[in-house]
């Protein structure tokens, strides 16, 4: 049950951080949340990854609708050689999710205590 507040907190901090700072603040947000509210490493990674993946996918979708898919079509032709605006949104959301997931994993490992082997 700790995952839901962490998920929402990562989304809020990442969204606000994107307004005032650079794109990589998603890693800092996931790191801080993982340090403050501890979870196992895999769950911390998945929590950060899924939260920022969905956030960036939604932001890319709303910005893409505002400019009538012009930029996404051109960028997808340039990068993946296919005219598909959805694919470029998924690629950028994956990159953001991966950065945030690694930030959450780092924060979790900072607090993670190994069990002593007797």
């Amino acid at each position: 049950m700790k995952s839901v507040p962490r998920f929402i907190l990562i989304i809020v901090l990442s969204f606000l951080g994107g307004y005032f700072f650079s794109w990589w603040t998603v890693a800092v947000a996931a790191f801080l949340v993982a340090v403050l509210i501890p979870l196992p490493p895999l769950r911390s990674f998945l929590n950060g990854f899924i939260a920022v993946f969905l956030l960036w996918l939604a932001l890319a979708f709303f910005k893409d609708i505002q400019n009538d898919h012009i930029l996404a079509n051109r960028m997808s032709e340039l990068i993946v050689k296919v005219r598909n605006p959805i694919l470029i949104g998924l690629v950028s959301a994956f990159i953001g999710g991966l950065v945030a997931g690694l930030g959450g994993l780092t924060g979790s490992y900072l607090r993670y205590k190994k069990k002593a082997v007797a």
Side-chain angles (χ1 to χ4, degrees):
M1 202 60 184
K2 284 184 182 179
S3 293
V4 175
R6 290 187 71 206
F7 185 81
I8 294 170
L9 193 57
I10 291 172
I11 288 177
V12 169
L13 289 176
S14 297
F15 184 75
L16 292 175
Y19 269 127
F20 300 111
F21 302 109
S22 188
W23 65 271
W24 50 265
T25 56
V26 296
V28 175
F31 174 82
L32 290 175
V33 171
V35 168
L36 295 176
I37 308 170
L39 279 179
L42 179 63
R43 287 181 59 196
S44 290
F45 175 81
L46 289 176
N47 215 351
F49 180 87
I50 293 170
V52 173
F53 181 86
L54 292 176
L55 173 68
W56 278 24
L57 189 64
L59 290 174
F61 176 71
F62 290 124
K63 291 295 181 184
D64 193 35
I65 287 175
Q66 289 176 356
N67 71 7
D68 202 27
H69 311 290
I70 294 170
L71 181 62
N73 280 327
R74 290 184 183 171
M75 292 305 294
S76 67
E77 284 178 4
L78 182 68
I79 295 173
V80 292
K81 307 294 189 230
V82 177
R83 189 180 181 120
N84 189 353
I86 296 169
L87 186 60
I88 200 73
L90 288 173
V91 167
S92 64
F94 179 78
I95 292 170
L98 192 60
V99 169
L102 291 174
L105 185 66
T106 304
S108 177
Y109 277 139
L110 187 66
R111 288 199 56 144
Y112 189 69
K113 295 178 183 166
K114 279 191 164 183
K115 295 178 182 172
V117 178

